[in-house]
Amino acid sequence: MSENNDEVAVITTGNGEMVVEFWPETAPKTVENFKKLANDAFYDGTCFHRIVKGFMVQGGDPLTKDPSEEGRWGTGDPGYKIEAEFSDRPHNKGVLSMARSSDPDSAGSQFFICLKAANFLDNDYTCFGELIKGEDVLDTLGEVPCGGGGENSRPEERQDVLAITIVSRADAGVE
């Protein structure tokens, strides 16, 4: 455990659950934003719309709740942007980080989880937590067939995010 931080996020997917711990000492505003969105059920019913094999799985776009908006998936946000919080923490496998455009301060709700080390992102993307349970689920997501969207990264079958809930470590079954 990186610190005394009792709250974790349970990401319930169509493939099972992943649990991530937060790094509020590294990215306090980003952690607060993610928890607020999760507590408001913002992420419920979205999907992982972008999976780049050997790199990362990306979700958090509210437009993915509507299949008719598929052409715009990857562009949605909560209606605001948050400032980047760069750190020297490395983007290792399982690290939770904010997705954004070329503008460092363009993140809002979209996030990604690294499938392996992606150190070229270090000090350039806001990492704010890491996977502590459910690596098998992450690995399964990383292997789903993809073939559409940019970089042919759109999963051929929808990869649902049923819910993201903020709970205590004990309630998530982790110590």
Side-chain angles (χ1 to χ4, degrees), residues 82-94:
I82 59 174
E83 286 184 31
E85 295 177 288
F86 301 142
S87 72
D88 57 4
R89 284 196 183 252
H91 280 78
N92 292 326
K93 180 177 183 177

Side-chain angles (χ1 to χ4, degrees), residues 49-99:
H49 64 277
R50 184 171 178 237
I51 298 174
V52 180
K53 298 213 181 294
F55 175 33
M56 61 86 202
V57 299
Q58 182 174 331
D61 182 346
L63 296 176
T64 64
K65 295 178 183 184
D66 184 352
S68 73
E69 293 287 345
E70 186 171 358
R72 297 180 54 218
W73 289 5
T75 64
D77 61 39
Y80 59 84
K81 308 291 187 197
I82 59 174
E83 286 184 31
E85 295 177 288
F86 301 142
S87 72
D88 57 4
R89 284 196 183 252
H91 280 78
N92 292 326
K93 180 177 183 177
V95 164
L96 177 67
S97 193
M98 290 301 288

Side-chain angles (χ1 to χ4, degrees), residues 2 12 27 42 62-64 74 94 98 102 123 125 133 154 156 169 171:
S2 63
T12 304
F42 180 89
L63 296 176
T64 64
M98 290 301 288
S102 58
N123 298 302
Y125 281 75
K133 185 177 178 184
R154 180 76 34 84
E156 291 176 6
R169 286 179 177 274
D171 287 345

